[in-house]
């Protein structure tokens, strides 16, 4: 798995695991008055735990260092307080441990709530926020693209000031600062912190290992703490000393381990063995088995399936071949095979998320790459390929246009549409094959550049910044996620010339354009740079965007009361299972004790 720093990115991928449930996953939520049992009265206190499960990690393997994937469970969203919470529907941040902020004259000021404490009884102050940011210098966190550790300061017990480079885009600063959890308690991280602040170069200091640091028991900043580990489950109880404790009229969360991927969760919901899950892929075959009281919440995920091309590949190093690939596939059919009601289709290939397209570009001015087999023929012939007849594979210099698409095995909503696309490519004369691999093998092959085409998430999942052009383009053009400048060998720091869409040519240096977006507050200048990068993406196709997913989150109304989705903005957050409770919007009824 890709290295993940923080819980949002890690947990956002959780719904991908598991096979397809009778194929064709679409999902319609149960959000109507009939789903609520009027006899279920909210009580002063229910002797009940909200039952959920982890499908990735065994209970005995849980650990509380947020940086490695292994053992870091989605229960962390209950254990640790958010600095703020990004609400997707509002495209804005909601105050929490950081109760207010402002940006002015090269300084971002955070106003810290005075109500939060660590579970060891220590008060949470501005110094704890500074300590977390200083620790993350060792990981070259995004914030250090715009500031230095010396410019981050606790000016009093509840105020942090972050000085940043002159001209830095204020929206970019909001994203790199506010989208965090308070998950580095001094009780667990003080020694590593001392190493970091004493080091001249924490990022290159081999003695500093944030990923390998052992945190076996949590010291939460949130309202929930580890209570007891039993055979096959762990109990996480409400902290009586936390200022949000009164929002819980129930005992806490019961976390089990659910094997069998998506289908295991489907069976558990059908048998009413669990009350909810933060993220799960469930198509119509599963939804039909679920009880009427189980409610689906669809949250725009901002990420989804893409096809990344290796630019050192003998075929896909050619722009004509990449464009022919795009014209050969029918994304409507590919999406339908995995669940059209849980996915959004891209109207054009412009490098932005679906919600961001209308805000930034005129989609009528860009190629849609709708399936067009005549264009496939024209482009491949232009690239020097020949095909004897419609039953033969395209060849160049006696070599067939043969390749594998690698994908992580078990990710049903990736593997199924990729398989459909492989069939379409072969019908168009490509010699394509789907190769599903263990997740670790797939990740290693990406890191080593050992692939021609790979199924890959086209936007960083679960991040609040997903719809901002700076982060969206940086992920697609400069993605260093596997330890290289970019693992797909794209020429990210040189001018690339493409058609400008109006009969002329446009030369674009991706790195310079992306940097300009990050370092300007001039709306017109930013708009120009976004359009240049959108045009470059549309013509050069560093990646092919297949779909953008809705996250499927589930809560039961059998024993639990919460608003209808139209009545609260807090459903549009990662994740309702934990965030609604912190907002006093998830309550146990008497039926929860049954």
């Amino acid at each position: 798995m890709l290295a993940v720093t923080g819980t949002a990115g890690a947990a956002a991928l959780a719904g991908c695991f598991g096979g397809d449930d009778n194929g064709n996953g679409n999902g319609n939520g149960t959000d109507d008055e009939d789903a609520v049992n009027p006899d279920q009265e909210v009580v002063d206190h229910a002797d009940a735990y909200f039952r959920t499960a982890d499908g990735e990690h065994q209970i005995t393997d849980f650990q509380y260092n947020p940086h490695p994937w292994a053992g870091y469970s989605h229960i962390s969203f209950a254990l640790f307080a958010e600095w703020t919470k990004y609400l997707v529907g509002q495209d804005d941040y909601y105050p929490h441990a950081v109760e207010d902020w402002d940006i002015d004259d090269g300084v971002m000021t955070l106003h810290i709530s005075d109500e939060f404490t660590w579970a060891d009884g220590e008060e949470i102050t501005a110094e704890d926020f500074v300590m977390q940011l200083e620790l993350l210098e060792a990981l070259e966190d995004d914030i250090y693209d715009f500031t230095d550790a010396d410019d981050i300061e606790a000016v009093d017990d509840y105020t942090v000031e972050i000085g940043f480079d002159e001209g830095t885009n204020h929206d970019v600063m909001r994203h790199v600062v506010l989208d965090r959890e308070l998950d580095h308690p001094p009780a667990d991280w003080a020694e590593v912190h001392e190493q970091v602040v004493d080091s001249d170069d924490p990022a290159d200091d081999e003695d500093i290992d944030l990923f390998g640091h052992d945190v076996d028991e949590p010291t939460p900043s949130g309202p929930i703490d580890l209570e007891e580990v039993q055979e096959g489950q762990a109990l996480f109880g409400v902290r009586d000393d936390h200022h949000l404790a009164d929002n819980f009229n129930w005992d806490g969360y019961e976390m089990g381990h659910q094997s069998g991927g998506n289908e295991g969760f489907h069976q558990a919901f059908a048998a009413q063995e669990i009350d909810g899950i933060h993220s799960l892929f469930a198509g119509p075959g599963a939804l039909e088995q679920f009880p009427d009281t189980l409610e689906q919440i669809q949250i725009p995920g901002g990420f989804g399936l893409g096809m990344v091309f290796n630019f050192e590949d003998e075929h896909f190093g050619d722009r004509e071949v990449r464009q022919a690939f795009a014209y050969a596939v029918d994304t409507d059919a590919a999406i339908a095979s995995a669940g059209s009601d849980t996915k959004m289709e891209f109207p054009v290939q412009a490098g932005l998320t679906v919600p961001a397209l209308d805000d930034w570009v005129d989609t009528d001015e860009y190629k849609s790459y709708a399936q067009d087999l005549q264009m496939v023929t024209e482009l491949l012939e232009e690239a020097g390929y020949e095909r004897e007849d419609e039953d033969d594979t395209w060849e160049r210099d006696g070599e067939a246009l043969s390749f594998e698409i690698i994908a992580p095995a078990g990710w049903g909503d990736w593997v199924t549409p990729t398989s459909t696309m492989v069939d379409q490519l072969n019908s168009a004369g490509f010699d394509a094959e789907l190769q599903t691999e263990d997740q670790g093998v797939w990740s290693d092959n990406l890191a080593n550049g050992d692939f021609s085409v790979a199924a890959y998430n086209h936007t960083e999942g679960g991040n609040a910044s997903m719809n901002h052009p700076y982060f969206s383009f940086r992920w697609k053009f400069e993605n260093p996620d596997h330890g290289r400048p970019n693992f797909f060998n794209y020429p990210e720091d040189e001018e690339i010339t493409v058609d400008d869409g109006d009969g002329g040519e446009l030369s674009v240096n991706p790195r310079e354009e992306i940097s300009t977006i990050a370092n300007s507050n001039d709306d017109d200048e930013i708009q120009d740079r976004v359009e240049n990068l959108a045009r470059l993406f549309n013509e050069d196709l560093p990646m092919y965007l297949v779909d953008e997913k809705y996250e499927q989150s589930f809560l039961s109304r059998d024993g639990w009361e919460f608003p209808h989705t139209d009545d609260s903005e807090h459903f549009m957050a990662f994740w309702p299972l934990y965030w609604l409770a912190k907002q006093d919007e998830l309550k146990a009824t008497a039926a929860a004790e049954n």
Side-chain angles (χ1 to χ4, degrees):
M1 184 56 205
L2 315 183
V4 179
T5 56
T7 58
L13 297 176
C16 294
F17 58 60
D20 189 64
D21 56 283
N22 301 332
N24 317 325
N26 53 39
N28 299 311
T30 303
D31 186 19
D32 55 64
E33 299 290 341
D34 294 335
V36 183
N37 185 342
D39 296 328
Q40 294 186 25
E41 299 268 340
V42 172
V43 294
D44 289 338
H45 185 83
D47 185 15
Y49 288 85
F50 190 103
R51 300 169 301 166
T52 187
D54 190 300
E56 298 286 348
H57 314 297
Q58 296 288 343
I59 304 302
T60 53
D61 293 336
F62 279 10
Q63 58 84 31
Y64 303 95
N65 177 342
H67 302 297
W69 171 268
Y72 200 65
S73 171
H74 60 87
I75 192 64
S76 64
F77 287 101
L79 298 174
F80 298 111
E82 294 85 349
W83 287 29
T84 66
K85 175 62 78 175
Y86 182 73
L87 301 181
V88 179
Q90 304 295 322
D91 190 25
D92 206 355
Y93 291 88
Y94 189 87
H96 198 58
V98 176
E99 60 184 12
D100 197 9
W101 56 91
D102 51 75
I103 304 176
D104 190 35
D105 294 332
V107 177
M108 184 171 186
T109 304
L110 308 181
H111 304 283
I112 309 303
S113 170
D114 63 3
E115 295 186 289
F116 285 81
T117 60
W118 297 109
D120 61 3
E122 292 296 317
E123 188 176 356
I124 293 175
T125 68
E127 291 287 356
D128 298 318
F129 289 77
V130 172
M131 176 183 139
Q132 179 168 334
L133 294 178
E134 288 176 339
L135 277 165
L136 296 179
E137 185 182 11
L139 298 179
E140 298 180 287
D141 185 88
D142 283 352
I143 194 173
Y144 290 101
D145 290 339
F146 307 102
T147 189
D148 296 313
D150 292 341
D151 294 325
I152 303 172
E153 180 184 6
V155 297
D156 60 38
D157 283 349
Y158 298 105
T159 309
V160 175
E161 288 186 353
I162 302 169
F164 55 86
D165 299 338
E166 184 177 354
T168 300
N169 184 292
H170 290 182
D171 285 337
V172 169
M173 281 302 297
R174 283 191 313 130
H175 286 304
V176 300
V177 172
L178 296 176
D179 186 27
R180 301 179 187 275
E181 288 78 44
L182 197 58
D183 51 10
H184 289 73
D188 301 320
W189 289 92
E191 291 184 12
V192 182
H193 179 239
E194 185 175 354
Q195 284 183 291
V196 170
V197 297
D198 288 346
S199 176
D200 293 332
D201 189 355
D204 288 334
D205 193 329
E206 294 181 358
D207 293 329
I208 298 172
D209 183 10
L210 267 66
F211 279 85
H213 181 61
D214 291 331
V215 185
D216 295 328
E217 293 188 4
T219 308
S221 53
I224 300 295
D225 197 359
L226 176 63
E227 189 174 274
E228 182 182 1
V229 177
Q230 304 173 344
E231 184 176 354
Q233 68 177 17
L235 300 179
F236 294 86
V238 178
R239 288 177 53 194
D240 292 337
D241 63 336
H242 199 278
H243 74 283
L244 296 178
D246 289 345
N247 290 354
F248 295 79
N249 71 327
W250 34 288
D251 292 329
Y253 294 91
E254 175 188 304
M255 174 70 74
H257 173 72
Q258 181 61 59
S259 61
N262 285 329
E263 291 184 356
F265 276 96
H266 301 162
Q267 293 165 10
F269 275 128
Q272 296 183 271
E273 295 171 347
I274 54 177
D275 298 313
I277 187 67
H278 72 302
S279 176
L280 174 71
F281 174 60
L287 293 173
E288 291 173 1
Q289 302 172 34
F290 291 170
D292 291 341
T293 49
L294 185 65
E295 186 162 315
Q296 178 188 187
I297 303 146
Q298 288 193 328
I299 308 167
F303 77 106
L305 175 61
M307 297 287 143
V308 64
F309 303 108
N310 189 339
F311 277 67
E312 289 188 353
D313 182 80
E314 61 177 319
H315 304 298
F316 290 99
D318 291 349
R319 181 182 297 168
E320 293 87 355
V321 178
R322 298 192 298 274
Q323 290 186 345
F325 178 106
Y327 279 117
V329 301
D330 176 0
T331 52
D332 278 340
I335 291 171
S337 69
S340 57
D341 285 356
T342 64
K343 314 291 181 188
M344 292 180 278
E345 184 181 9
F346 287 90
V348 296
Q349 300 283 321
L352 298 168
T353 62
V354 174
L357 282 170
D358 287 339
D359 293 336
W360 290 97
V361 299
D362 181 353
T363 56
D364 291 338
E365 296 181 357
Y366 295 81
K367 293 175 180 173
S368 68
Y369 290 101
Q371 189 179 48
D372 187 336
L373 299 185
Q374 181 59 40
M375 284 298 299
V376 173
T377 297
E378 292 178 13
L379 286 161
L380 291 180
E381 288 180 347
E382 183 179 344
Y385 290 85
E386 298 179 342
R387 190 181 185 191
E388 291 299 324
D389 55 50
E390 291 189 0
D391 293 328
D392 290 336
T393 301
W394 290 99
E395 293 184 357
R396 182 169 63 183
D397 299 327
E399 294 290 331
L401 208 173
S402 180
F403 60 95
E404 292 180 343
I405 301 178
I406 63 171
W411 290 27
D413 57 346
W414 282 22
V415 170
T416 301
T418 301
S419 178
T420 300
M421 292 171 63
V422 164
D423 291 341
Q424 296 168 347
L425 289 161
N426 288 332
S427 295
F430 293 79
D431 182 15
E433 182 179 347
L434 171 61
Q435 178 64 42
T436 59
E437 300 173 339
D438 177 79
Q439 191 168 299
V441 174
W442 167 77
S443 186
D444 287 344
N445 283 334
L446 295 179
N448 297 327
D450 189 13
F451 68 96
S452 297
V453 183
Y456 189 75
N457 46 301
H458 55 67
T459 310
E460 191 169 13
N463 283 357
S465 58
M466 55 199 171
N467 292 324
H468 192 282
Y470 168 73
F471 299 95
S472 191
F473 284 132
R474 189 185 61 168
W475 180 265
K476 295 176 176 71
F477 286 110
E478 297 186 354
N479 188 336
D481 222 36
H482 297 271
R484 299 152 61 112
N486 67 62
F487 65 88
F488 44 94
N489 303 297
Y490 192 78
E492 63 193 51
D493 196 17
E494 62 184 63
E495 284 200 346
I496 302 165
T497 301
V498 295
D499 293 340
D500 67 0
D502 197 28
E505 291 185 338
L506 175 69
S507 294
V508 181
N509 182 311
R511 179 164 293 172
E512 290 181 0
E513 301 288 298
I514 292 169
S515 177
T516 299
I517 293 172
N519 294 288
S520 175
N521 287 292
D522 183 318
D523 291 343
D524 291 337
E525 181 176 41
I526 293 170
Q527 181 67 42
D528 287 343
R529 305 306 187 186
V530 170
E531 290 178 4
N532 287 346
L533 288 164
R535 178 64 61 189
L536 173 61
F537 188 95
N538 187 252
E539 295 287 341
D540 208 34
L541 289 181
M543 188 181 292
Y544 178 74
L545 314 181
V546 180
D547 64 49
E548 194 161 290
K549 72 179 296 183
Y550 285 103
E551 288 287 0
Q552 295 172 271
S553 194
F554 291 90
L555 293 174
S556 175
R557 291 194 181 274
D558 185 11
W560 304 95
E561 181 179 275
F562 47 91
H564 292 282
T565 53
D566 291 341
D567 296 333
S568 173
E569 62 188 346
H570 295 296
F571 285 97
M572 293 296 103
F574 300 118
W575 303 92
L577 168 58
Y578 301 112
W579 182 243
L580 287 176
K582 293 178 182 179
Q583 297 305 310
D584 203 21
E585 293 188 358
L586 177 61
K587 295 295 185 182
T589 72
E593 297 183 301
N594 296 336

